[in-house]
Amino acid sequence: YINFHSVSDAERALDTLNYSSIKGRSCRLMWSQRDPSLRKSGTGNIFIKNLDKNIDNKALYDTFSLFGNILSCKVASDPATGASYGYGFVQYETEEAAKQAIERVNGMQIGEKTVEVHAFAKRDNRDANDDNFTNLYIKNLKPEWDDDEKLKEAFGKFGTVTSSLIRSDPQGRKFAFVNFEKNEDAKKCIAEMHMMDVRTEEEKSKGEGEEEKLGTDGHPEGKLYVQRAQSKKERANQLKNKFTSADSGNKGVNLYIKNLDDDMDEAGLKELFSPFGEITSLSVKKDDNGKCKGFGFVCFTSPDDATKAVTEMHLKVVKGKPLYVGLAERREVRDERLR
């Protein structure tokens, strides 16, 4: 925060230095909002997607400043490389300015892409209708789908793709989002692409006769995952419902943990999971030499505690390994789910 003696000096600093480079990074200047209610209310806030990757914070500001006083303006980008994720946010001082920006810019070409501009909706207020969706989450991508254009080409055969985005998780595994213009196109894509074998012929021949390998999330490693994109809150609620169902016999919720370090013991497992709630039992499976086989089980008293444990610990790196944490299933139940 910087306080000036006069408003005119602050305005000059804002006009002159906004989006200038400081040690190689573009800085954003905005008026300080001491009352957070305006910022938290979302009033005048708009969301812009399908941005050209060459559009930076300043270009976005210059485009949208025509419609009113901007409180905040940002292009979402990779913190390490600074590369644009293809979407951004603009918050205006008034709702009227935001409405005018949506009317004038939605569907307009900026750079090489036609953008979509909508009123920003908080995650809690977004439509979570399971059946009315257009945005898909895709993982286990084919290696050749290494940029947005190739991804659009692969999925565009099902209908008009309005936007697409490829990201990487902390382990370097690529995943993507593809948004269709129509709900029926997204459903058709899921029906045809989900569980499609993406292995090479060499990988198929090597794996012939072997049991299908599952990833840390329980999905087959060699098969494409294509489903409706969900918010973090939706996924947490889904887990909670699943665990509540599993708890219906009042025996607690049993979690399966794998990718454990060879030296893991029951005391170490308890130390990792006891912060999330009351544990009724736990075990670490060991070989004849007393070394951990890489997996174990933790049973929580309540579904809420189990949900917290999965949300916080799944894919968390412990002793150099990302953990898999999920609901323990009987083998026949898992086989039926993966069919």
Side-chain angles (χ1 to χ4, degrees), residues 18-175:
N18 205 5
Y19 305 115
S20 59
S21 178
I22 298 178
K23 292 189 176 180
R25 299 189 69 173
S26 175
C27 68
R28 290 191 300 137
L29 276 66
M30 63 198 78
W31 294 107
S32 172
Q33 299 291 329
R34 295 190 182 277
D35 179 3
S37 60
L38 178 63
R39 185 179 71 251
K40 291 180 179 178
S41 71
T43 300
N45 208 358
I46 62 174
F47 172 63
I48 306 101
K49 68 178 181 178
N50 207 33
L51 280 172
D52 187 304
K53 294 296 176 71
N54 293 317
I55 300 295
D56 58 13
N57 292 326
K58 187 174 188 311
L60 191 70
Y61 183 92
D62 290 343
T63 301
F64 284 89
S65 61
L66 303 171
F67 308 105
N69 187 30
I70 291 176
L71 298 178
S72 174
C73 174
K74 177 185 179 182
V75 172
S77 59
D78 186 313
T81 65
S84 168
Y85 285 148
Y87 65 92
F89 307 89
V90 174
Q91 185 170 16
Y92 287 99
E93 195 171 38
T94 66
E95 192 66 34
E96 291 71 24
K99 287 178 180 176
Q100 190 180 0
I102 293 170
E103 289 172 6
R104 298 281 295 277
V105 185
N106 187 34
M108 188 176 89
Q109 185 166 328
I110 301 178
E112 297 296 319
K113 290 194 174 184
T114 302
V115 299
E116 289 185 45
V117 186
H118 305 284
F120 174 75
K122 290 182 180 178
R123 280 198 173 118
D124 293 350
N125 299 332
R126 291 175 197 168
D127 183 10
N129 187 334
D130 283 352
D131 201 49
N132 186 25
F133 61 89
T134 56
N135 198 22
L136 301 182
Y137 169 66
I138 302 128
K139 64 183 177 183
N140 291 358
L141 302 179
K142 282 188 173 184
E144 58 263 33
W145 298 341
D146 55 359
D147 63 37
D148 285 342
E149 291 308 313
K150 290 177 182 175
L151 191 70
K152 275 188 177 180
E153 185 180 341
F155 286 84
K157 61 185 179 182
F158 301 104
T160 302
V161 173
T162 59
S163 62
S164 62
L165 178 66
I166 297 175
R167 299 277 291 274
S168 296
D169 67 13
Q171 283 75 48
R173 296 169 299 187
K174 288 189 175 182
F175 60 94

Side-chain angles (χ1 to χ4, degrees), residues 216 256-261 293-296 318 320-324:
T216 54
Y256 170 59
I257 299 99
K258 72 175 180 180
N259 219 20
L260 294 171
D261 185 74
K293 286 184 174 181
F295 69 95
V318 176
K321 293 184 175 184
L323 297 183
Y324 166 80

